[in-house]
Amino acid sequence: MNRKFYPILILALFTLSSCKEEEATKQKIVELEEKISNLESEKVGLESDVIQLKARDVGMNSGDAKALKERREALEIEVRRLLPFEAKVKELTKQNEDMAAKLAAATMTSSAAASTAGGSSTAGAGISKAVEESFVSIEGDQHTSGGFLVAEDGKVYLYTAASALAGNQKLTIRTSGGQALTKFGALELSEGVDVARMQVMDTVTHQLEMAPSDAVITEHMPVLALGMAKDSRVISPEKSTINKAAGPFYELDNSSLTTSIGGPVIHAISGKVLGVIGKKSTVPVLWPNESYEEVTEKVVARLNQKMEWSELKIGTFLGETKRLLEFDDATRLVMAVSSISVGGATPQLEGMVGGSTYTVRQVLTKYQDKPLAQTFLQWKGDDPNKRIAASEADLNKKWRGALGDAVSLAQRGVAEMKVPQLSWYHRPWAEASLKARADVLEKINEAVGEIK
């Protein structure tokens, strides 16, 4: 027999044995409870006889009294004999409950309906082919991440993180087996959690199973985080355990997962899905430090709970990122212009842009395809061979015109940036971008006011 099937066989034998023991225990409990019930009924009858005799005005003859005393003594003996059985019933009931809980933990079912595990078991060091081929790679024009297929409510969904999609304009999605997926329903997001899903309209062979919402989550439950090894199409499981469930998230004992964003966290024995690897929500800074690589803090969004979904088109979601990037580019350009010293025949471009590590010239050069940047990069002072220099009034007019163009650019797009209409994922970013734009607009207006 193939060694890969040993863990699954062991799990099946364990669950079968557990079920048989559970049935035998239940039968024994039923028999004991019936016996207790009969004895208690007999006890009640005797006590009733005693009460009736005491209620009579006439006395009891010696024969009746002796018979009643003997019957009472026999009953007391039977009750004492019964007491250990009551303790045994409690013990067997507790064992039955513990067995159901263990079986539920092994198969990721509710303790009230523990059943044997399905064919997607991941017991052992490896993972099954069904689990492996349920993994999906999401290759974007800006970054690559993961996802996975789940059978749910009679449909198949691609689950991933919202951050796995954001930032890309083009996406190529394929299973780890190489099948390209091209037909999807609407994108669905869950408010406040870095998770996204789309119904898959393509026919697929393998899907994972979601753990039920009332699944038993035990302390230090073993889990696997799935992702592709770097520069490879091989699925690489990363071992961890759950420390606790904190609201919509799971806290793992391994806080430094190397697995890619969007991959699943599954129960290590049954292979059922518990969560998706996401990214801690942060707002992009206007001037990122490019001298070091940004560290991504990962979180595990909990999926075995009730979730509210909102729909939008995938193109709309990706378009929000593009709009915000272009909006911030304009803000940076205007901020560079606002950092130029006003006055004189030639703009001074070697000063630093406030809040950044860049000079004005560096920022203008980065956006040299923009008319505003070209205005200052191509600004020339008076030709020294000229006999008559430009008057101060002419220079001020030139300055006023250039800074007026900056004011116009700073005002552009503000009214159209309607934050409530954006997906929850992009709203904090949009709010920060509008705040930065308002600050730079105030600064450029002050620069215009300084021109006499």
Side-chain angles (χ1 to χ4, degrees), residues 172-235:
T172 300
I173 302 175
R174 56 169 58 92
T175 67
S176 60
Q179 179 186 358
L181 303 178
T182 58
K183 301 174 184 177
F184 298 97
L187 175 69
E188 297 180 63
L189 302 178
S190 184
E191 189 82 16
V193 184
D194 188 15
V195 60
R197 73 177 187 179
M198 294 185 288
Q199 185 181 350
V200 179
M201 304 302 184
D202 297 287
T203 300
V204 293
T205 304
H206 300 291
Q207 314 97 45
L208 296 174
E209 181 182 349
M210 196 74 75
S213 58
D214 61 347
V216 177
I217 308 298
T218 59
E219 186 177 359
H220 303 307
M221 175 179 283
V223 295
L224 297 175
L226 303 186
M228 281 188 176
K230 190 174 181 180
D231 301 323
S232 169
R233 301 198 68 82
V234 177
I235 305 303

Short mmCIF file of all heavy atoms in Angstrom, two decimals, residues 172-235:
data_model
loop_
_atom_site.label_atom_id
_atom_site.label_comp_id
_atom_site.label_asym_id
_atom_site.label_seq_id
_atom_site.Cartn_x
_atom_site.Cartn_y
_atom_site.Cartn_z
N THR A 172 -3.82 37.61 -14.45
CA THR A 172 -3.87 36.28 -15.05
C THR A 172 -4.06 35.29 -13.91
O THR A 172 -3.24 35.23 -12.98
CB THR A 172 -2.56 35.95 -15.81
OG1 THR A 172 -2.38 36.91 -16.85
CG2 THR A 172 -2.63 34.56 -16.41
N ILE A 173 -5.16 34.54 -13.96
CA ILE A 173 -5.51 33.64 -12.86
C ILE A 173 -5.54 32.21 -13.37
O ILE A 173 -6.22 31.90 -14.36
CB ILE A 173 -6.89 34.03 -12.27
CG1 ILE A 173 -6.86 35.49 -11.80
CG2 ILE A 173 -7.27 33.10 -11.13
CD1 ILE A 173 -8.20 36.01 -11.32
N ARG A 174 -4.79 31.34 -12.70
CA ARG A 174 -4.77 29.94 -13.11
C ARG A 174 -4.57 29.05 -11.88
O ARG A 174 -3.97 29.46 -10.88
CB ARG A 174 -3.67 29.67 -14.13
CG ARG A 174 -2.27 30.07 -13.72
CD ARG A 174 -1.23 29.53 -14.70
NE ARG A 174 -1.46 29.98 -16.04
CZ ARG A 174 -0.91 31.07 -16.58
NH1 ARG A 174 -0.11 31.83 -15.84
NH2 ARG A 174 -1.17 31.40 -17.83
N THR A 175 -5.09 27.81 -11.98
CA THR A 175 -4.91 26.86 -10.89
C THR A 175 -3.47 26.37 -10.88
O THR A 175 -2.74 26.53 -11.86
CB THR A 175 -5.85 25.65 -11.06
OG1 THR A 175 -5.45 24.91 -12.22
CG2 THR A 175 -7.29 26.09 -11.23
N SER A 176 -3.08 25.74 -9.78
CA SER A 176 -1.71 25.22 -9.69
C SER A 176 -1.50 24.10 -10.70
O SER A 176 -0.37 23.78 -11.05
CB SER A 176 -1.43 24.71 -8.28
OG SER A 176 -2.33 23.67 -7.94
N GLY A 177 -2.60 23.51 -11.19
CA GLY A 177 -2.50 22.49 -12.23
C GLY A 177 -2.34 23.07 -13.62
O GLY A 177 -2.18 22.33 -14.59
N GLY A 178 -2.41 24.43 -13.74
CA GLY A 178 -2.19 25.09 -15.02
C GLY A 178 -3.44 25.54 -15.75
O GLY A 178 -3.36 26.18 -16.80
N GLN A 179 -4.64 25.25 -15.21
CA GLN A 179 -5.88 25.66 -15.88
C GLN A 179 -6.11 27.15 -15.73
O GLN A 179 -6.14 27.69 -14.62
CB GLN A 179 -7.08 24.90 -15.30
CG GLN A 179 -8.41 25.30 -15.94
CD GLN A 179 -9.60 24.66 -15.25
OE1 GLN A 179 -9.45 23.89 -14.31
NE2 GLN A 179 -10.80 25.00 -15.71
N ALA A 180 -6.29 27.87 -16.84
CA ALA A 180 -6.57 29.30 -16.80
C ALA A 180 -8.03 29.52 -16.47
O ALA A 180 -8.91 28.86 -17.02
CB ALA A 180 -6.22 29.94 -18.14
N LEU A 181 -8.31 30.43 -15.54
CA LEU A 181 -9.68 30.79 -15.17
C LEU A 181 -9.99 32.17 -15.72
O LEU A 181 -9.26 33.14 -15.44
CB LEU A 181 -9.83 30.77 -13.64
CG LEU A 181 -9.47 29.45 -12.95
CD1 LEU A 181 -9.61 29.58 -11.44
CD2 LEU A 181 -10.32 28.31 -13.48
N THR A 182 -11.05 32.29 -16.51
CA THR A 182 -11.34 33.55 -17.19
C THR A 182 -12.77 34.04 -16.99
O THR A 182 -13.07 35.19 -17.30
CB THR A 182 -11.10 33.40 -18.70
OG1 THR A 182 -11.93 32.34 -19.21
CG2 THR A 182 -9.63 33.06 -18.99
N LYS A 183 -13.65 33.17 -16.45
CA LYS A 183 -15.05 33.56 -16.32
C LYS A 183 -15.43 33.67 -14.84
O LYS A 183 -15.37 32.69 -14.10
CB LYS A 183 -15.95 32.52 -17.00
CG LYS A 183 -15.66 32.33 -18.48
CD LYS A 183 -16.48 31.18 -19.05
CE LYS A 183 -16.12 30.92 -20.51
NZ LYS A 183 -16.86 29.75 -21.07
N PHE A 184 -15.79 34.89 -14.44
CA PHE A 184 -16.10 35.15 -13.04
C PHE A 184 -17.37 35.96 -12.89
O PHE A 184 -17.76 36.71 -13.79
CB PHE A 184 -14.95 35.91 -12.36
CG PHE A 184 -13.64 35.17 -12.34
CD1 PHE A 184 -12.68 35.41 -13.31
CD2 PHE A 184 -13.38 34.23 -11.36
CE1 PHE A 184 -11.48 34.74 -13.31
CE2 PHE A 184 -12.17 33.55 -11.34
CZ PHE A 184 -11.23 33.80 -12.31
N GLY A 185 -18.00 35.83 -11.72
CA GLY A 185 -19.11 36.69 -11.36
C GLY A 185 -18.57 37.98 -10.78
O GLY A 185 -17.38 38.31 -10.92
N ALA A 186 -19.43 38.75 -10.12
CA ALA A 186 -19.02 40.03 -9.54
C ALA A 186 -18.01 39.83 -8.41
O ALA A 186 -17.99 38.79 -7.76
CB ALA A 186 -20.25 40.77 -9.02
N LEU A 187 -17.17 40.83 -8.22
CA LEU A 187 -16.25 40.82 -7.09
C LEU A 187 -17.05 41.14 -5.82
O LEU A 187 -17.87 42.04 -5.81
CB LEU A 187 -15.15 41.87 -7.29
CG LEU A 187 -14.17 42.05 -6.12
CD1 LEU A 187 -13.29 40.82 -5.98
CD2 LEU A 187 -13.31 43.28 -6.34
N GLU A 188 -16.79 40.38 -4.76
CA GLU A 188 -17.47 40.61 -3.47
C GLU A 188 -16.42 40.88 -2.40
O GLU A 188 -15.42 40.17 -2.29
CB GLU A 188 -18.30 39.39 -3.08
CG GLU A 188 -19.43 39.07 -4.05
CD GLU A 188 -20.22 37.85 -3.62
OE1 GLU A 188 -20.84 37.90 -2.54
OE2 GLU A 188 -20.20 36.85 -4.36
N LEU A 189 -16.65 41.93 -1.62
CA LEU A 189 -15.77 42.30 -0.52
C LEU A 189 -16.54 42.26 0.78
O LEU A 189 -17.75 42.51 0.81
CB LEU A 189 -15.19 43.70 -0.73
CG LEU A 189 -14.41 43.97 -2.01
CD1 LEU A 189 -13.97 45.44 -2.07
CD2 LEU A 189 -13.21 43.05 -2.12
N SER A 190 -15.82 41.95 1.88
CA SER A 190 -16.44 41.95 3.20
C SER A 190 -15.88 43.12 4.00
O SER A 190 -14.66 43.27 4.15
CB SER A 190 -16.14 40.63 3.92
OG SER A 190 -16.80 40.57 5.16
N GLU A 191 -16.77 43.98 4.47
CA GLU A 191 -16.40 45.24 5.11
C GLU A 191 -15.37 45.04 6.23
O GLU A 191 -15.57 44.25 7.16
CB GLU A 191 -17.65 45.91 5.70
CG GLU A 191 -17.44 47.32 6.22
CD GLU A 191 -17.50 48.38 5.12
OE1 GLU A 191 -18.00 48.07 4.03
OE2 GLU A 191 -17.05 49.50 5.38
N GLY A 192 -14.27 45.77 6.14
CA GLY A 192 -13.28 45.79 7.21
C GLY A 192 -12.35 44.61 7.29
O GLY A 192 -11.49 44.56 8.17
N VAL A 193 -12.48 43.65 6.37
CA VAL A 193 -11.62 42.45 6.40
C VAL A 193 -10.95 42.30 5.03
O VAL A 193 -11.60 42.43 4.00
CB VAL A 193 -12.45 41.18 6.71
CG1 VAL A 193 -11.54 39.98 6.83
CG2 VAL A 193 -13.25 41.37 7.98
N ASP A 194 -9.65 42.02 5.05
CA ASP A 194 -8.91 41.89 3.79
C ASP A 194 -9.19 40.54 3.14
O ASP A 194 -8.36 39.63 3.18
CB ASP A 194 -7.41 42.07 4.05
CG ASP A 194 -6.61 42.15 2.74
OD1 ASP A 194 -7.24 42.34 1.68
OD2 ASP A 194 -5.37 42.02 2.79
N VAL A 195 -10.37 40.43 2.57
CA VAL A 195 -10.76 39.19 1.90
C VAL A 195 -11.68 39.56 0.74
O VAL A 195 -12.43 40.54 0.80
CB VAL A 195 -11.47 38.22 2.88
CG1 VAL A 195 -12.72 38.85 3.45
CG2 VAL A 195 -11.81 36.91 2.20
N ALA A 196 -11.57 38.81 -0.35
CA ALA A 196 -12.40 39.04 -1.54
C ALA A 196 -12.74 37.69 -2.15
O ALA A 196 -12.01 36.71 -1.97
CB ALA A 196 -11.66 39.91 -2.55
N ARG A 197 -13.86 37.65 -2.87
CA ARG A 197 -14.22 36.41 -3.55
C ARG A 197 -14.97 36.72 -4.84
O ARG A 197 -15.58 37.79 -4.98
CB ARG A 197 -15.06 35.50 -2.66
CG ARG A 197 -16.50 35.97 -2.45
CD ARG A 197 -17.29 34.97 -1.63
NE ARG A 197 -18.71 35.32 -1.56
CZ ARG A 197 -19.64 34.61 -0.92
NH1 ARG A 197 -19.28 33.51 -0.28
NH2 ARG A 197 -20.91 35.00 -0.92
N MET A 198 -14.91 35.79 -5.78
CA MET A 198 -15.65 35.88 -7.03
C MET A 198 -16.16 34.49 -7.38
O MET A 198 -15.43 33.50 -7.22
CB MET A 198 -14.76 36.39 -8.18
CG MET A 198 -14.28 37.82 -8.03
SD MET A 198 -13.34 38.39 -9.48
CE MET A 198 -11.82 37.46 -9.27
N GLN A 199 -17.39 34.40 -7.84
CA GLN A 199 -17.89 33.10 -8.28
C GLN A 199 -17.18 32.70 -9.56
O GLN A 199 -17.00 33.51 -10.47
CB GLN A 199 -19.40 33.15 -8.53
CG GLN A 199 -19.98 31.77 -8.87
CD GLN A 199 -21.47 31.80 -9.13
OE1 GLN A 199 -22.13 32.80 -8.88
NE2 GLN A 199 -22.01 30.71 -9.64
N VAL A 200 -16.74 31.45 -9.63
CA VAL A 200 -16.02 30.92 -10.79
C VAL A 200 -17.03 30.26 -11.73
O VAL A 200 -17.76 29.35 -11.33
CB VAL A 200 -14.95 29.90 -10.35
CG1 VAL A 200 -14.23 29.33 -11.57
CG2 VAL A 200 -13.96 30.55 -9.40
N MET A 201 -17.08 30.74 -12.97
CA MET A 201 -18.00 30.19 -13.95
C MET A 201 -17.35 29.09 -14.80
O MET A 201 -18.04 28.34 -15.48
CB MET A 201 -18.52 31.31 -14.86
CG MET A 201 -19.18 32.45 -14.11
SD MET A 201 -20.57 31.90 -13.10
CE MET A 201 -21.18 33.47 -12.48
N ASP A 202 -16.01 29.02 -14.79
CA ASP A 202 -15.32 27.94 -15.49
C ASP A 202 -15.58 26.62 -14.76
O ASP A 202 -15.82 26.60 -13.55
CB ASP A 202 -13.82 28.19 -15.53
CG ASP A 202 -13.45 29.44 -16.30
OD1 ASP A 202 -13.54 29.42 -17.52
OD2 ASP A 202 -13.10 30.45 -15.65
N THR A 203 -15.52 25.51 -15.49
CA THR A 203 -15.64 24.18 -14.88
C THR A 203 -14.29 23.79 -14.28
O THR A 203 -13.28 23.78 -14.96
CB THR A 203 -16.07 23.13 -15.92
OG1 THR A 203 -17.34 23.52 -16.46
CG2 THR A 203 -16.20 21.77 -15.28
N VAL A 204 -14.29 23.49 -12.99
CA VAL A 204 -13.05 23.11 -12.32
C VAL A 204 -13.24 21.75 -11.66
O VAL A 204 -14.35 21.33 -11.36
CB VAL A 204 -12.64 24.16 -11.27
CG1 VAL A 204 -12.27 25.47 -11.94
CG2 VAL A 204 -13.76 24.38 -10.25
N THR A 205 -12.12 21.06 -11.43
CA THR A 205 -12.16 19.70 -10.90
C THR A 205 -12.07 19.65 -9.38
O THR A 205 -12.78 18.90 -8.73
CB THR A 205 -11.01 18.86 -11.50
OG1 THR A 205 -11.10 18.91 -12.92
CG2 THR A 205 -11.09 17.42 -11.04
N HIS A 206 -11.20 20.48 -8.81
CA HIS A 206 -10.93 20.40 -7.38
C HIS A 206 -11.32 21.69 -6.67
O HIS A 206 -11.06 22.79 -7.17
CB HIS A 206 -9.45 20.11 -7.14
CG HIS A 206 -8.97 18.82 -7.75
ND1 HIS A 206 -9.37 17.58 -7.28
CD2 HIS A 206 -8.14 18.57 -8.80
CE1 HIS A 206 -8.80 16.64 -8.00
NE2 HIS A 206 -8.06 17.21 -8.93
N GLN A 207 -11.93 21.52 -5.50
CA GLN A 207 -12.26 22.66 -4.64
C GLN A 207 -12.08 22.25 -3.18
O GLN A 207 -12.22 21.07 -2.85
CB GLN A 207 -13.70 23.13 -4.85
CG GLN A 207 -14.16 23.27 -6.28
CD GLN A 207 -14.92 22.05 -6.74
OE1 GLN A 207 -15.77 21.54 -6.02
NE2 GLN A 207 -14.60 21.55 -7.93
N LEU A 208 -11.78 23.21 -2.36
CA LEU A 208 -11.69 22.96 -0.93
C LEU A 208 -13.09 23.06 -0.31
O LEU A 208 -14.03 23.53 -0.94
CB LEU A 208 -10.76 23.98 -0.27
CG LEU A 208 -9.29 23.95 -0.69
CD1 LEU A 208 -8.54 25.10 -0.06
CD2 LEU A 208 -8.66 22.62 -0.32
N GLU A 209 -13.20 22.63 0.94
CA GLU A 209 -14.46 22.71 1.69
C GLU A 209 -14.27 23.70 2.84
O GLU A 209 -13.25 23.67 3.53
CB GLU A 209 -14.85 21.34 2.22
CG GLU A 209 -16.17 21.33 2.98
CD GLU A 209 -16.51 19.96 3.54
OE1 GLU A 209 -15.83 18.98 3.15
OE2 GLU A 209 -17.44 19.87 4.36
N MET A 210 -15.24 24.58 3.04
CA MET A 210 -15.17 25.55 4.11
C MET A 210 -15.53 24.89 5.44
O MET A 210 -16.48 24.10 5.52
CB MET A 210 -16.13 26.71 3.84
CG MET A 210 -15.87 27.94 4.68
SD MET A 210 -14.40 28.84 4.14
CE MET A 210 -15.03 29.63 2.65
N ALA A 211 -14.79 25.19 6.48
CA ALA A 211 -15.14 24.70 7.82
C ALA A 211 -16.45 25.35 8.24
O ALA A 211 -16.67 26.54 7.98
CB ALA A 211 -14.04 25.04 8.82
N PRO A 212 -17.37 24.61 8.87
CA PRO A 212 -18.65 25.20 9.27
C PRO A 212 -18.47 26.29 10.32
O PRO A 212 -17.46 26.33 11.04
CB PRO A 212 -19.43 24.00 9.84
CG PRO A 212 -18.38 23.02 10.23
CD PRO A 212 -17.27 23.19 9.25
N SER A 213 -19.46 27.18 10.40
CA SER A 213 -19.34 28.32 11.32
C SER A 213 -19.28 27.89 12.78
O SER A 213 -18.73 28.61 13.61
CB SER A 213 -20.51 29.29 11.11
OG SER A 213 -21.74 28.61 11.32
N ASP A 214 -19.85 26.71 13.11
CA ASP A 214 -19.81 26.23 14.49
C ASP A 214 -18.73 25.17 14.70
O ASP A 214 -18.79 24.38 15.64
CB ASP A 214 -21.16 25.68 14.91
CG ASP A 214 -21.60 24.49 14.05
OD1 ASP A 214 -20.98 24.26 13.00
OD2 ASP A 214 -22.57 23.81 14.44
N ALA A 215 -17.74 25.16 13.82
CA ALA A 215 -16.66 24.19 13.95
C ALA A 215 -15.94 24.35 15.28
O ALA A 215 -15.78 25.46 15.78
CB ALA A 215 -15.67 24.34 12.80
N VAL A 216 -15.52 23.23 15.85
CA VAL A 216 -14.82 23.26 17.13
C VAL A 216 -13.38 23.73 16.89
O VAL A 216 -12.62 23.09 16.17
CB VAL A 216 -14.82 21.86 17.77
CG1 VAL A 216 -14.02 21.88 19.08
CG2 VAL A 216 -16.24 21.40 18.02
N ILE A 217 -13.00 24.86 17.48
CA ILE A 217 -11.63 25.40 17.36
C ILE A 217 -10.94 25.16 18.69
O ILE A 217 -11.21 25.84 19.68
CB ILE A 217 -11.64 26.90 17.02
CG1 ILE A 217 -12.51 27.18 15.80
CG2 ILE A 217 -10.22 27.40 16.81
CD1 ILE A 217 -12.05 26.51 14.53
N THR A 218 -10.07 24.17 18.73
CA THR A 218 -9.39 23.84 19.98
C THR A 218 -8.10 24.65 20.13
O THR A 218 -7.58 25.20 19.17
CB THR A 218 -9.04 22.34 20.02
OG1 THR A 218 -8.20 22.03 18.89
CG2 THR A 218 -10.31 21.50 19.94
N GLU A 219 -7.61 24.70 21.35
CA GLU A 219 -6.37 25.42 21.62
C GLU A 219 -5.20 24.71 20.92
O GLU A 219 -5.09 23.49 20.95
CB GLU A 219 -6.12 25.47 23.13
CG GLU A 219 -4.92 26.31 23.52
CD GLU A 219 -4.74 26.38 25.02
OE1 GLU A 219 -5.57 25.79 25.74
OE2 GLU A 219 -3.78 27.03 25.46
N HIS A 220 -4.35 25.50 20.26
CA HIS A 220 -3.19 24.99 19.52
C HIS A 220 -3.58 24.03 18.40
O HIS A 220 -2.86 23.07 18.10
CB HIS A 220 -2.19 24.32 20.46
CG HIS A 220 -1.72 25.21 21.57
ND1 HIS A 220 -1.18 26.46 21.34
CD2 HIS A 220 -1.74 25.05 22.92
CE1 HIS A 220 -0.86 27.02 22.49
NE2 HIS A 220 -1.20 26.20 23.46
N MET A 221 -4.71 24.27 17.78
CA MET A 221 -5.13 23.44 16.65
C MET A 221 -4.11 23.56 15.52
O MET A 221 -3.75 24.67 15.12
CB MET A 221 -6.51 23.88 16.16
CG MET A 221 -6.98 23.15 14.91
SD MET A 221 -8.63 23.69 14.41
CE MET A 221 -9.62 22.79 15.61
N PRO A 222 -3.63 22.47 14.93
CA PRO A 222 -2.63 22.54 13.86
C PRO A 222 -3.26 23.00 12.54
O PRO A 222 -4.33 22.53 12.16
CB PRO A 222 -2.12 21.09 13.75
CG PRO A 222 -3.27 20.26 14.25
CD PRO A 222 -3.94 21.07 15.32
N VAL A 223 -2.60 23.92 11.87
CA VAL A 223 -3.09 24.43 10.59
C VAL A 223 -1.92 24.50 9.60
O VAL A 223 -0.75 24.42 9.99
CB VAL A 223 -3.72 25.83 10.73
CG1 VAL A 223 -4.97 25.79 11.59
CG2 VAL A 223 -2.71 26.84 11.28
N LEU A 224 -2.28 24.64 8.33
CA LEU A 224 -1.29 24.83 7.27
C LEU A 224 -1.64 26.09 6.49
O LEU A 224 -2.80 26.31 6.15
CB LEU A 224 -1.28 23.64 6.31
CG LEU A 224 -0.89 22.27 6.87
CD1 LEU A 224 -1.08 21.21 5.80
CD2 LEU A 224 0.53 22.28 7.38
N ALA A 225 -0.64 26.93 6.24
CA ALA A 225 -0.81 28.09 5.37
C ALA A 225 -0.21 27.70 4.01
O ALA A 225 0.95 27.31 3.93
CB ALA A 225 -0.09 29.30 5.95
N LEU A 226 -1.02 27.79 2.96
CA LEU A 226 -0.58 27.33 1.64
C LEU A 226 -0.17 28.48 0.74
O LEU A 226 -0.82 29.51 0.69
CB LEU A 226 -1.69 26.54 0.95
CG LEU A 226 -2.25 25.33 1.69
CD1 LEU A 226 -3.24 24.59 0.80
CD2 LEU A 226 -1.13 24.39 2.12
N GLY A 227 0.92 28.27 0.03
CA GLY A 227 1.40 29.25 -0.95
C GLY A 227 2.38 28.58 -1.89
O GLY A 227 2.76 27.42 -1.69
N MET A 228 2.75 29.30 -2.94
CA MET A 228 3.73 28.76 -3.88
C MET A 228 5.13 29.18 -3.46
O MET A 228 5.35 30.32 -3.03
CB MET A 228 3.45 29.29 -5.29
CG MET A 228 2.34 28.56 -6.00
SD MET A 228 2.22 29.04 -7.73
CE MET A 228 0.92 27.93 -8.29
N ALA A 229 6.06 28.24 -3.56
CA ALA A 229 7.45 28.57 -3.28
C ALA A 229 7.92 29.64 -4.28
O ALA A 229 7.43 29.70 -5.41
CB ALA A 229 8.31 27.32 -3.39
N LYS A 230 8.83 30.49 -3.85
CA LYS A 230 9.31 31.58 -4.70
C LYS A 230 9.92 31.03 -5.99
O LYS A 230 10.67 30.07 -5.98
CB LYS A 230 10.35 32.41 -3.94
CG LYS A 230 10.73 33.70 -4.65
CD LYS A 230 11.66 34.53 -3.79
CE LYS A 230 12.01 35.84 -4.49
NZ LYS A 230 12.91 36.68 -3.68
N ASP A 231 9.55 31.69 -7.10
CA ASP A 231 10.04 31.30 -8.44
C ASP A 231 9.73 29.84 -8.75
O ASP A 231 10.52 29.12 -9.36
CB ASP A 231 11.55 31.55 -8.55
CG ASP A 231 11.91 33.01 -8.32
OD1 ASP A 231 11.12 33.88 -8.75
OD2 ASP A 231 12.95 33.26 -7.71
N SER A 232 8.56 29.37 -8.29
CA SER A 232 8.19 27.98 -8.51
C SER A 232 6.67 27.86 -8.60
O SER A 232 5.95 28.75 -8.15
CB SER A 232 8.71 27.10 -7.36
OG SER A 232 8.17 25.80 -7.43
N ARG A 233 6.20 26.76 -9.19
CA ARG A 233 4.76 26.51 -9.22
C ARG A 233 4.39 25.38 -8.24
O ARG A 233 3.31 24.82 -8.30
CB ARG A 233 4.32 26.13 -10.64
CG ARG A 233 4.61 27.21 -11.67
CD ARG A 233 3.82 27.00 -12.93
NE ARG A 233 2.40 27.22 -12.71
CZ ARG A 233 1.82 28.43 -12.70
NH1 ARG A 233 2.57 29.51 -12.87
NH2 ARG A 233 0.53 28.55 -12.51
N VAL A 234 5.32 25.07 -7.34
CA VAL A 234 5.11 24.01 -6.35
C VAL A 234 4.44 24.61 -5.11
O VAL A 234 4.88 25.63 -4.59
CB VAL A 234 6.44 23.36 -5.96
CG1 VAL A 234 6.22 22.30 -4.88
CG2 VAL A 234 7.11 22.74 -7.18
N ILE A 235 3.35 23.97 -4.65
CA ILE A 235 2.65 24.44 -3.46
C ILE A 235 3.47 24.09 -2.22
O ILE A 235 3.89 22.95 -2.04
CB ILE A 235 1.25 23.82 -3.36
CG1 ILE A 235 0.47 24.10 -4.64
CG2 ILE A 235 0.51 24.37 -2.15
CD1 ILE A 235 0.33 25.55 -4.97
#
